[in-house]
Amino acid sequence: MSVDEFSEMGPVDYLILEFPGNRMTGEGLPLLLDLVDRHIIRVLDLSFVRKDEDGSVRALKLADMDGDGQLDLSVFEGASSGLLGDDDLAEAATVLEPGNSAGVIVYENLWAAPLATALRRSGARMVANGRIPAEDLLLTLEAAEARSAS
């Protein structure tokens, strides 16, 4: 990817999705495909990693996630921008419990690309970002409700 192409990109994020007991059902796959089809995100990298009970880590191949005999993730086969390397997968596996696997997705937020491009052209630069986990939001809302009920 060239510098010119990067200057037109939206923000890039990653997710590490843990699957307890290596149980990947593929239930979320249609929703991921919908985001791609609607040009909300672009998957730059998609890899899978497994942490065995002894703590050893290995990469997994794209596979039939729901057991119907079809390669569910074939649309993402070869999705590799080069941003995600073996060291990144090993680091991702450090957050996994032994006996579990994970999908690691690096994606561009296409919906934000025009805004990000305009801001970069105007000289603005991102100096911090973050994400608030849904669980934290729920806990905060529950605590606020409890305070208002007292």
Side-chain angles (χ1 to χ4, degrees):
M1 183 167 286
S2 73
V3 173
D4 288 339
E5 290 173 306
F6 177 75
S7 69
E8 301 293 319
M9 285 182 69
V12 174
D13 289 328
Y14 72 92
L15 293 173
I16 301 172
L17 305 166
E18 184 175 32
F19 297 96
N22 297 308
R23 189 172 171 271
M24 296 182 216
T25 66
E27 185 177 345
L29 183 61
L31 299 169
L32 177 62
L33 291 172
D34 181 58
L35 292 172
V36 171
D37 288 344
R38 291 189 297 138
H39 301 283
I40 294 171
I41 67 167
R42 174 173 57 148
V43 175
L44 300 173
D45 287 284
L46 177 62
S47 296
F48 292 88
V49 65
R50 177 180 175 155
K51 188 173 195 177
D52 292 326
E53 291 295 340
D54 66 2
S56 61
V57 175
R58 61 187 162 110
L60 299 174
K61 298 283 185 197
L62 295 179
D64 174 16
M65 304 308 251
D66 58 10
D68 67 359
Q70 296 182 11
L71 183 61
D72 300 318
L73 298 171
S74 61
V75 69
F76 297 116
E77 195 166 16
S80 178
S81 67
L83 294 172
L84 189 61
D86 291 338
D87 290 346
D88 299 310
L89 292 177
E91 186 176 334
T94 63
V95 299
L96 299 179
E97 293 294 323
N100 293 346
S101 57
V104 182
I105 303 172
V106 177
Y107 62 96
E108 175 190 3
N109 291 282
L110 291 173
W111 61 269
L115 174 62
T117 299
L119 291 171
R120 279 192 292 270
R121 276 195 307 261
S122 73
R125 64 186 183 91
M126 172 118 27
V127 294
N129 71 352
R131 182 156 284 136
I132 302 170
E135 295 83 9
D136 291 350
L137 289 172
L138 292 172
L139 289 172
T140 301
L141 290 172
E142 288 172 359
E145 286 178 7
R147 282 192 304 272
S148 67
S150 341

